[in-house]
Amino acid sequence: MNLDEPNHIAALRDTIRRFVARELPREAVRKWDHDDEFPRAVFDKLAALGVTGSTIPESYGGTGRDIPATMATIEELARRSFPIAVAYINCACYGGMNILESGSEAQKRELLPRLARGEILFAYGLTEPDIGADLASVKTRATRRGDTVIVTGAKRFCTGADIADYVYLLANSDPAGARHKNLSLILVPPKSPGVTLRPIPTMGLRGFPSFDATFDAVEVPAANIVGGEAGWNQAWPMLAGPTLDVEKLEVAAIGIGIAAAAIDDAWEYAQTRVQFGKPVSSYQAIRHALADAKTRLHAARLMLRHASWLADRGEPCGVETSMTKLFVSETAKRIVLDCQTVMGAYGYATEFDLERHVRDVLLLPIIGGSSAIQRNNIANRLGLPR
Ligand SMILES: Cc1cc2nc3c(=O)[nH]c(=O)nc-3n(C[C@H](O)[C@H](O)[C@H](O)COP(=O)(O)OP(=O)(O)OC[C@H]3O[C@@H](n4cnc5c(N)ncnc54)[C@H](O)[C@@H]3O)c2cc1C
């Protein structure tokens, strides 16, 4: 593996950085966070750059499936705006990657070109009020009635459901069936009759809210079963397949973006804040904190680069992606908290971005499989006997 980033990814980063500077000024991002508002028009401009096609082959209207490019995009967006990065993921990854991997040919032909153009968004409907990590035990029911599927149940933390075109919903489709062979994924438009959304206020990711979504005998066509008829009761291999590996990397890429932004701010601040007649950057405690933060970020970047490279080549990478998700999300949290210390009171004031980075980064070890779940994966996959 060549550790240098290829030229096309360096060019992509440059494009996204210019987009961020133009469309996502700091003051606007801070206001959207404060007002809990999502700038959909900015996302539409992002989509117009063609970047939402980075998970989709050219034959379906994308720019070619390119995991390292997708991760670079997420990182650069998260460096300024967590909500815009998540909207990108909901489109390119939750939509594009899942439909490419698990959709029927008809679903690919219908949805992938629209996802590549950034016209439609997905939301994940996996978690339920009583179900967190143990997804195979979901209680939401999907029942067949001729050419329709009836969905009844409740999903929790369904992020972005208010602006999504489809909830990628996990349901139990055969209560008498064996565990892991009784689940289906259904595409449910959240505007369908019988769907109710209630926002769940959270400390971070403001502007892109999560919802309690209830489904009261919601009818969708059987064509909305992910994978078509062949996908009925086949959700588990779809969930545990290559998209799960990439999903872990998406969280890591967000962590690197947020940590890099925190370091940028603390690095700058340490040089301008003068105490006892000298910039605080001259004090060893501050210098070491920033040197450690840069070092940790570098290690995190290398882990993400390696795991993305493996995933892009379709190689088995369940251990590496879990290690990357675990290390990078925990490391990003540590980096951001250390940068907050460097900035003292100004790392706590809402007039500075660092306070938002603290609220946002705390989410990363929780979502996409918690740190404990990643540790379980690593120990199990490496064959550690119980
Ligand atoms: C802001 C936000 C957005 C979210 N967005 C979405 C979304 O869009 N779609 C969606 O479906 N979900 C979403 N989630 C839910 C998220 O994926 C959940 O956090 C996840 O499902 C785990 O559930 P839980 O946090 O309730 O933890 P639980 O699974 O209830 O676990 C509680 C604690 O026990 C630990 N634990 C659980 N099982 C084990 C085990 N076997 N071994 C060791 N430790 C264990 C966990 O690590 C955790 O510390 C979101 C959550 C938040 C906060």
Side-chain angles (χ1 to χ4, degrees):
M1 177 195 175
N2 182 352
L3 289 176
D4 290 338
E5 231 170 26
N7 288 341
H8 78 280
I9 295 190
L12 172 70
R13 282 189 193 275
D14 191 49
T15 301
I16 307 268
R17 280 178 195 169
R18 279 189 277 115
F19 175 85
V20 165
R22 194 171 64 244
E23 303 293 344
L24 292 164
R26 274 182 187 254
E27 303 69 34
V29 172
R30 217 173 282 152
K31 184 173 185 313
W32 291 324
D33 175 77
H34 180 267
D35 297 348
D36 209 358
E37 181 190 335
F38 181 67
R40 178 66 192 242
V42 176
F43 177 77
D44 292 342
K45 286 184 192 172
L46 175 73
L49 296 179
V51 291
T52 44
S54 72
T55 54
I56 297 172
E58 288 177 28
S59 52
Y60 291 108
T63 51
R65 182 179 177 279
D66 187 334
I67 306 296
T70 303
M71 295 308 137
T73 304
I74 295 169
E75 179 193 329
E76 294 300 334
L77 294 173
R79 200 163 178 160
R80 180 57 58 82
S81 168
F82 192 6
I84 290 285
V86 172
Y88 171 80
I89 289 170
N90 282 19
C91 179
C93 303
Y94 291 2
M97 207 163 282
N98 279 314
I99 294 299
L100 179 66
E101 202 64 48
S102 307
S104 65
E105 190 51 39
Q107 287 162 350
K108 289 180 192 176
R109 271 190 272 113
E110 187 200 332
L111 297 172
L112 290 179
R114 300 184 66 201
L115 288 158
R117 291 194 296 271
E119 286 172 10
I120 53 175
L121 294 174
F122 277 33
Y124 257 9
L126 309 179
T127 305
E128 297 187 352
D130 295 330
I131 304 295
D134 182 15
L135 286 179
S137 301
V138 290
K139 295 175 183 164
T140 296
R141 285 279 287 115
T143 316
R144 291 296 300 267
R145 191 192 296 154
D147 281 345
T148 57
V149 177
I150 317 293
V151 177
T152 298
K155 293 292 170 182
R156 179 155 286 171
F157 292 114
C158 193
T159 305
D162 55 335
I163 56 169
D165 296 271
Y166 294 103
V167 175
Y168 195 75
L169 179 142
L170 181 67
N172 184 312
S173 43
D174 182 8
R179 187 171 162 85
H180 295 145
K181 293 183 177 162
N182 58 352
L183 302 166
S184 299
L185 283 157
I186 318 288
L187 299 175
V188 183
K191 295 197 173 49
S192 307
V195 180
T196 312
L197 301 179
R198 181 191 70 84
I200 306 172
T202 54
M203 70 187 288
L205 191 51
R206 289 174 58 80
F208 209 77
S210 300
F211 291 86
D212 257 329
T214 51
F215 300 83
D216 183 7
V218 177
E219 282 189 39
V220 295
N224 285 24
I225 301 165
V226 175
E229 286 294 344
W232 191 248
N233 290 331
Q234 292 303 315
W236 196 252
M238 295 177 186
L239 280 179
T243 49
L244 176 68
D245 285 324
V246 179
E247 197 184 328
K248 293 180 251 174
L249 302 183
E250 293 153 19
V251 180
I254 292 172
I256 288 173
I258 295 175
I263 293 175
D264 285 347
D265 285 1
W267 192 268
E268 175 79 20
Y269 180 87
Q271 296 170 66
T272 53
R273 179 68 171 175
V274 174
Q275 289 296 292
F276 301 99
K278 289 195 276 187
V280 295
S281 63
S282 64
Y283 299 119
Q284 191 184 57
I286 300 292
R287 298 177 73 76
H288 285 188
L290 290 172
D292 282 349
K294 288 261 189 194
T295 305
R296 291 190 178 104
L297 182 66
H298 182 62
R301 281 207 165 106
L302 291 178
M303 280 188 90
L304 177 62
R305 202 164 292 174
H306 180 235
S308 304
W309 180 77
L310 290 174
D312 200 51
R313 291 159 56 99
E315 292 192 22
C317 55
V319 172
E320 290 82 357
T321 52
S322 279
M323 288 175 168
T324 302
K325 201 279 170 178
L326 169 65
F327 180 82
V328 177
S329 58
E330 294 289 352
T331 298
K333 180 166 119 180
R334 177 152 185 199
I335 290 172
V336 172
L337 291 176
D338 286 349
C339 288
Q340 188 185 37
T341 304
V342 167
M343 289 183 60
Y346 298 90
Y348 198 73
T350 56
E351 288 172 6
F352 289 77
D353 291 345
L354 212 88
E355 175 269 349
R356 185 180 79 248
H357 297 326
V358 171
R359 286 188 281 109
D360 286 345
V361 84
L362 291 178
L363 179 59
L364 304 185
I366 298 170
I367 53 168
S370 68
S371 291
I373 295 298
Q374 303 308 334
R375 289 185 176 102
N376 290 349
N377 286 347
I378 295 161
N380 292 343
R381 283 172 182 257
L382 292 178
L384 186 65
R386 287 179 190 278

